[in-house]
Amino acid sequence: MNLPRFFSFIVANSARFAAALHTAFSACVLSIVFVVSGCGYVSTSDYLNHIKTIAISPIEIQDPDFTFDSSGNPYDEVIRNALIDRFNQKWRDGNDSQLDVIILDYHLEPFRYDANNQPEQFRMSLEIEYEFTDRVQNKIIDRRDNYLQIHDFYVVSGQGEPPETREEAESRLIQELVDDFYSTLAEQW
């Protein structure tokens, strides 16, 4: 074999070998990334499967502006009953877990004005502190000191959404709070 031909044969085959090695390495890296990360899907069917019951403590409300609804029902009872009804879709009443909720602050303020500087949209918000405890394993599952539940609503027609009264908005704010808590704490999506 001629020495220059031998080197050209080695160089040509080395380039092919390097390209094949690069392709194999890339495929291997992609496979590892796929296996480690999964498909992005995490099953929540086993989330807290050892918990069968929940105790929802009486709600503490620290803002005197958010005490009673328009019918004279205390908001602490309204919210607690709504939470109990929602969480009972997954867990019975009992002591495997506990949810403590404190409503720190309530705000209602104009959010958007019309051409005459009259409010057409309001923002209603609750600042909340909560703690969700697993009593079976004696650990805190979730805790927030500054959870903010917001509901924006219109008081005039023609804005793409029907207008709401303050009472309707407060009711919707509470329902959204209950749904968000259930989704976050019970389902963990």
Side-chain angles (χ1 to χ4, degrees):
M1 182 174 224
N2 194 347
L3 201 54
R5 282 180 93 198
F6 176 70
F7 283 119
S8 67
F9 173 77
I10 296 291
V11 169
N13 285 330
S14 295
R16 282 189 217 129
F17 178 73
L21 188 61
H22 179 356
T23 303
F25 180 73
S26 297
C28 192
V29 168
L30 286 174
S31 297
I32 289 171
V33 167
F34 182 74
V35 168
V36 169
S37 68
C39 301
Y41 173 77
V42 177
S43 172
T44 60
S45 61
D46 291 336
Y47 174 70
L48 300 176
N49 62 351
H50 62 284
I51 291 179
K52 307 292 185 227
T53 63
I54 186 170
I56 298 177
S57 301
I59 308 299
E60 180 183 339
I61 299 179
Q62 295 182 349
D63 190 327
D65 293 333
F66 194 72
T67 309
F68 296 98
D69 67 10
S70 60
S71 302
N73 300 316
Y75 273 122
D76 56 346
E77 291 178 14
V78 170
I79 295 170
R80 183 170 185 257
N81 290 335
L83 285 167
I84 289 170
D85 289 345
R86 186 71 163 113
F87 276 83
N88 280 345
Q89 293 177 4
K90 182 169 183 167
W91 297 312
R92 298 179 326 271
D93 186 34
N95 291 317
D96 289 353
S97 62
Q98 180 171 333
L99 177 61
D100 299 310
V101 178
I102 300 171
I103 297 179
L104 304 169
D105 202 10
Y106 166 80
H107 282 292
L108 176 65
E109 56 193 8
F111 183 62
R112 196 167 137 192
Y113 296 88
D114 65 11
N116 297 322
N117 207 25
Q118 295 297 314
E120 61 182 12
Q121 185 178 25
F122 283 82
R123 172 162 283 174
M124 183 179 287
S125 64
L126 293 174
E127 183 181 349
I128 299 166
E129 179 179 304
Y130 72 85
E131 183 174 282
F132 184 46
T133 308
D134 179 344
R135 289 183 168 172
V136 174
Q137 296 180 355
N138 198 28
K139 66 179 183 178
I140 295 173
I141 299 167
D142 195 8
R143 176 187 204 162
R144 298 271 303 267
D145 294 333
N146 58 351
Y147 183 85
L148 195 61
Q149 186 70 41
I150 296 172
H151 177 68
D152 295 335
F153 65 100
Y154 289 97
V155 293
V156 296
S157 298
Q159 297 299 319
E161 294 180 23
E164 296 178 42
T165 65
R166 180 177 177 165
E167 293 79 19
E168 291 169 335
E170 287 173 347
S171 178
R172 185 163 290 169
L173 175 71
I174 290 170
Q175 188 58 51
E176 290 169 357
L177 171 69
V178 169
D179 291 344
D180 288 351
F181 268 25
Y182 183 80
S183 173
T184 300
L185 303 176
E187 295 298 324
Q188 196 71 64
W189 287 106

